[in-house]
Amino acid sequence: MTDPAVTVPLVTVPLVTVRGLRKRYGRALVLDDLDVTFGAGVTGLLGRNGAGKTTLLRCLATTLAPDAGEIRALGFDPATRSGRSGVRRRLGYLPQDPGFYPHFTAFETLDYVAILKEMTDRRERHREVWRVLSEVGLDDRARTKVRKLSGGMRQRLALAQALLREPGLLVLDEPTVGLDPEQRLRLRALVSRLGENRTVLLSTHQTEDVAALCERVLVMDAGRILFDGTPAGLAAVATGRVSLGDDRPGPGSLFWRTADGRYRTIGEAPAGAVAADPTVEDGYLLLVGRTEGAA
Ligand SMILES: Nc1ncnc2c1ncn2[C@@H]1O[C@H](COP(=O)(O)OP(=O)(O)OP(=O)(O)O)[C@@H](O)[C@H]1O
């Protein structure tokens, strides 16, 4: 049988297509007729708490069934049993709460997931477990029990399990949470390399990670997509609306005192302030309307 994940040309064809995706929890509409496609590359999902990012990622990772709409991922339809299996075989998923067994070692944890991912050849499987341990810099903790790992190490273990079997689709829910600066940098390098020839979707609250890593960024709000473009395009939303000044701005605008003692304001510039270069974070804050009364 032909494997769609292998035969689809990576750059030109959307690898993941979402049409009219809708999800409710009780009365709350969490995904509101979402339409989006993803090709190869790294896409970042930004949005305030409760915007629907995890819900969208869970639908793509086949752990949650939408109420309406269609998904095609790597040529498979997760609404069908065989389609779900097809996606799961090619998916690397880092959920927000991976729920590891505390008494397993790091190695045993990955070996267990690799067995679930149908790696039946023991020698090949162990080689793959060592490979992903090394990718996330945990080789020296292979024999440490999960309960004895630090929070950041557990997060790296969670990432390692998502990397098993070189998935064609990587879905990472807040992958940089708890990582120290060195590990965050390492994750950026790893994820950007993976994104060269596969689809990587990651949700985050770290706008610097989006600016550094993602070629595309989606901003979600109340189950809809508010923005779809490049990080530079998102920063450009704030062009002319970020300023630096010596005087403390009045109430009602978002500002903070910078290291050099000046005031950086997002929104209407106070008198005497000069324009500053906007960042992805500025654009995001303006877009989701979080620039008033916060200071
Ligand atoms: N299992 C559930 N049952 C009921 N409501 C839920 C459930 N899971 C999520 N929700 C609600 O759905 C909405 C979207 O949640 P979701 O986790 O997708 O947001 P998010 O954008 O990932 O937020 P965060 O940045 O906090 O992780 C929230 O209002 C949340 O309370």
Side-chain angles (χ1 to χ4, degrees):
M1 201 180 85
T2 318
D3 183 341
V6 173
T7 55
V8 169
L10 285 170
V11 183
T12 51
V13 173
L15 299 177
V16 179
T17 308
V18 171
R19 288 268 168 268
L21 204 65
R22 187 180 304 171
K23 180 72 190 173
R24 278 181 188 280
Y25 287 116
R27 285 190 178 178
L29 186 58
V30 176
L31 296 179
D32 187 1
D33 283 327
L34 220 66
D35 292 321
V36 63
T37 58
F38 303 100
V42 185
T43 300
L45 245 60
L46 288 173
R48 58 177 77 148
N49 293 137
K53 304 179 297 295
T54 294
T55 306
L56 171 62
L57 295 183
R58 287 191 60 200
C59 289
L60 295 173
T62 76
T63 65
L64 187 68
D67 299 332
E70 280 179 19
I71 297 174
R72 290 286 179 282
L74 307 177
F76 296 95
D77 177 2
T80 66
R81 185 190 286 242
S82 64
R84 277 193 295 281
S85 301
V87 176
R88 286 171 188 168
R89 283 201 189 98
R90 293 156 181 85
L91 171 77
Y93 178 40
L94 166 64
Q96 255 178 3
D97 181 9
F100 293 135
Y101 295 115
H103 298 293
F104 273 21
T105 65
F107 187 93
E108 287 165 346
T109 302
L110 295 174
D111 196 39
Y112 180 68
V113 178
I115 290 169
L116 294 179
K117 285 193 169 181
E118 300 169 334
M119 297 196 76
T120 47
D121 184 289
R122 191 167 179 270
R123 189 184 276 205
E124 191 190 326
R125 190 174 70 237
H126 285 189
R127 207 179 312 128
E128 178 63 355
V129 169
W130 282 114
R131 182 187 72 81
V132 297
L133 276 169
S134 154
E135 287 274 31
V136 300
L138 277 183
D139 0 22
D140 60 340
R141 299 292 176 145
R143 305 293 173 203
T144 306
K145 288 190 191 298
V146 167
R147 69 184 159 84
K148 292 190 177 173
L149 294 175
S150 73
M153 289 175 192
R154 264 179 237 175
Q155 183 70 354
R156 280 148 64 193
L157 184 63
L159 177 66
Q161 63 79 29
L163 300 178
L164 285 165
R165 282 202 96 174
E166 307 245 13
L169 171 61
L170 258 180
V171 174
L172 309 175
D173 204 344
E174 300 199 28
T176 52
V177 164
L179 298 189
D180 65 37
E182 186 192 337
Q183 291 302 331
R184 248 172 89 187
L185 223 68
R186 188 178 178 140
L187 179 124
R188 282 182 191 172
L190 175 64
V191 170
S192 67
R193 180 165 56 72
L194 294 168
E196 283 171 9
N197 59 359
R198 68 197 83 201
T199 303
V200 183
L201 308 177
L202 61 93
S203 82
T204 181
H205 292 292
Q206 308 293 330
T207 47
E208 318 93 86
D209 286 338
V210 169
L213 177 65
C214 302
E215 50 249 68
R216 181 176 172 200
V217 53
L218 302 181
V219 178
M220 287 186 67
D221 193 45
R224 289 169 168 259
I225 294 172
L226 271 189
F227 177 91
D228 181 356
T230 61
L234 182 51
V237 167
T239 301
R241 299 174 73 189
V242 186
S243 58
L244 274 169
D246 294 326
D247 298 328
R248 195 173 203 280
S253 51
L254 175 64
F255 66 88
W256 64 92
R257 199 159 173 267
T258 61
D260 65 1
R262 302 173 82 199
Y263 293 93
R264 193 172 193 278
T265 304
I266 306 174
E268 197 164 326
V274 294
D277 287 337
T279 63
V280 169
E281 183 178 63
D282 298 327
Y284 167 75
L285 289 170
L286 280 164
L287 205 67
V288 298
R290 280 291 182 267
T291 58
E292 280 159 30

